Amino acid sequence: MASYEIRTRRFSRAEYDRLIELGVFQPGEPIELIGGELMVAEPQGAPHYTAIMKTAKALEAAFGPGWEVRPQGPIGLDDDSEPEPDVAVVPGGPDDYATAHPARPVLTVEVSESSLAVDRKHKGSLYARAGLADYWVLNLVDRVLEVYREPVRDAAAPFGWRYARAEVLDASARVAPLAAPGASIPVSRLLP
Amino acid sequence: MAVEVAATRRRFTRAEYYRMAEAGILGEDDRVELIRGEIVEMSPIGRRHRAFVGNLNQLLVVRLAGRAIVWVQNPVALTDDTEPQPDLAVLRRRPVPYKEREAWAEDVLLLIEVADSSLAYDRSTKLRLYAEAGIPEYWVVDCVAETVEVHRDPGPEGYRDVSRVAGTATLALQAFPDVELTTAEIFA
């Protein structure tokens, strides 16, 4: 018997933006376009949201003026992806993104509880493919910060890329974003 | 404890599916059907598949003339989030014309899927959908083996009456027992 895999219809980012314009999705509906697939994001518990706000505040202080820290904002990543990472840091201010979403955050953070596997493997591969230099997974399960850097090709990864370097920092450690090397943020200031 | 769940795809209702079509996001080039909220791409149709759909269409149209309506690769609405596009559907004649309201499960007398690469899907997911919707009779035509699986008596667990027709044989429609087709005609 010949094998046959079910393939769902994939969407481009232009189609996704059109769906939003048409009002097909409810306002605030937690969806993201990931490699052409419309994925439902994980429901937010109190620790998850607290971690996002703490991380956003810590990054605002670390980066200072000239940088925009965006909690759960859309990123125009590529032709078939528009993820909404939990926190993204982009250059400039809000007015710079009045007509188009930012495409290349200098730092991207996902806060993970139930979505740990997806954030590490799928999103990690997607962000590596887009060349995002600094990707952090704030792992609430083990209360550590996972820092991923140096995107490299890997045919076995979901989107053909992965991060070559992974560093796991516990709550007592400090971290410096690649784009703000002078900063030193205690990991404990990010955790809920 | 970590509960590692797979990310889930956003599912769509029939209403949303139609809005996408109206907006031109799903177009004529999209060979898709809505299966439990997922917009599924249909398998490519091979030469034998096309030929057997053509044979079945011609046989059914001629033999059911004036008694039922035969549709080829048209959508049938089953639930709010499911609208497959079976290869053939035999529909009852009804007072409300089909241009006024889509074909729903209760209008269907027989559905036929002609399967080559999609055989497993047609026998599992599709079969359960059709049985749940109460489609009274469902044929799975196997292009490769040249057999027909006849499923009758639907229920929530599937079809209770299943027979496999192979070799030289005659099939009759449950809704019209006097209307017969032979395997030689179907697989000509």
Side-chain angles (χ1 to χ4, degrees):
Chain A
M1 191 167 60
S3 69
Y4 173 62
E5 227 168 271
I6 298 309
R7 193 183 147 84
T8 56
R9 168 67 151 75
R10 306 296 157 103
F11 296 93
S12 69
R13 191 152 62 84
E15 288 173 333
Y16 175 61
D17 290 344
R18 181 102 179 85
L19 287 173
I20 292 169
E21 249 175 58
L22 286 168
V24 168
F25 305 120
Q26 301 301 312
E29 196 181 329
I31 45 171
E32 307 178 278
L33 185 70
I34 304 294
E37 297 198 277
L38 284 166
M39 307 307 290
V40 179
E42 87 179 299
Q44 294 202 50
H48 187 265
Y49 190 72
T50 305
I52 290 172
M53 294 318 287
K54 287 186 74 169
T55 302
K57 281 194 161 64
L59 291 176
E60 264 166 18
F63 276 85
W67 298 92
E68 178 75 358
V69 176
R70 295 163 57 100
Q72 298 189 311
I75 300 296
L77 196 68
D78 55 41
D79 283 348
D80 66 0
S81 301
E82 190 170 308
E84 295 188 4
D86 286 322
V87 184
V89 182
V90 298
D95 287 339
D96 294 327
Y97 305 103
T99 54
H101 299 315
R104 291 289 173 272
V106 296
L107 172 60
T108 308
V109 186
E110 296 286 1
V111 175
S112 283
E113 241 174 328
S114 60
S115 64
L116 203 47
V118 171
D119 288 340
R120 281 175 180 155
K121 199 175 167 192
H122 273 81
K123 290 214 176 143
S125 181
L126 187 80
Y127 295 155
R129 183 178 74 172
L132 304 191
D134 206 3
Y135 173 46
W136 297 359
V137 173
L138 187 59
N139 172 347
L140 301 190
V141 179
D142 305 306
R143 297 189 59 78
V144 294
L145 179 69
E146 303 176 9
V147 175
Y148 296 95
R149 288 170 178 168
E150 295 177 18
V152 289
R153 279 184 191 279
D154 179 355
F159 297 102
W161 288 75
R162 65 176 170 83
Y163 286 99
R165 282 192 50 205
E167 200 179 348
V168 180
L169 304 173
D170 67 23
S172 67
R174 302 175 81 89
V175 62
L178 278 183
S184 175
I185 308 165
V187 171
S188 60
R189 276 186 59 196
L190 313 179
L191 288 164
Chain B
M1 204 198 92
V3 184
E4 295 206 337
V5 291
T8 50
R9 279 192 288 266
R10 169 67 152 78
R11 289 171 190 261
F12 298 97
T13 63
R14 283 185 60 247
E16 290 171 335
Y17 181 60
Y18 274 91
R19 289 188 67 190
M20 286 186 208
E22 278 160 27
I25 290 168
L26 293 175
E28 294 284 319
D29 294 340
D30 277 299
R31 292 194 61 253
V32 293
E33 51 188 357
L34 186 68
I35 304 295
R36 295 195 202 280
E38 300 220 85
I39 302 172
V40 175
E41 295 192 341
M42 291 193 277
S43 55
I45 295 178
R47 190 178 66 241
R48 291 166 67 82
H49 186 143
R50 285 194 291 272
F52 300 150
V53 169
N55 293 346
L56 281 159
N57 179 38
Q58 193 170 347
L59 294 164
L60 290 167
V61 166
V62 169
R63 289 177 198 175
L64 289 167
R67 300 171 74 185
I69 293 159
V70 179
W71 273 8
V72 180
Q73 288 155 355
N74 266 351
V76 174
L78 297 185
T79 62
D80 281 348
D81 72 352
T82 299
E83 186 173 296
Q85 216 162 298
D87 283 313
L88 290 130
V90 175
L91 307 177
R92 70 183 174 98
R93 288 152 56 100
R94 66 179 197 194
V96 181
Y98 286 97
K99 67 176 180 184
E100 305 285 347
R101 195 181 72 217
E102 53 272 82
W104 281 86
E106 67 263 24
D107 299 313
V108 176
L109 301 171
L110 166 68
L111 288 188
I112 305 176
E113 295 282 9
V114 176
D116 31 44
S117 56
S118 67
L119 186 63
Y121 187 59
D122 290 335
R123 272 180 170 160
S124 56
T125 306
K126 286 278 186 74
L127 186 143
R128 278 196 303 275
L129 275 176
Y130 295 160
E132 275 172 27
I135 302 295
E137 185 169 21
Y138 172 43
W139 294 1
V140 179
V141 175
D142 183 339
C143 281
V144 179
E146 298 196 355
T147 60
V148 182
E149 269 180 17
V150 177
H151 300 267
R152 291 176 176 174
D153 193 8
E157 305 295 312
Y159 286 92
R160 287 173 283 248
D161 176 3
V162 181
S163 58
R164 189 156 176 273
V165 179
T168 309
T170 302
L171 291 98
L173 275 67
Q174 188 178 34
F176 302 101
D178 60 312
V179 173
E180 294 183 334
L181 289 73
T182 67
T183 48
E185 293 171 319
I186 296 171
F187 297 112

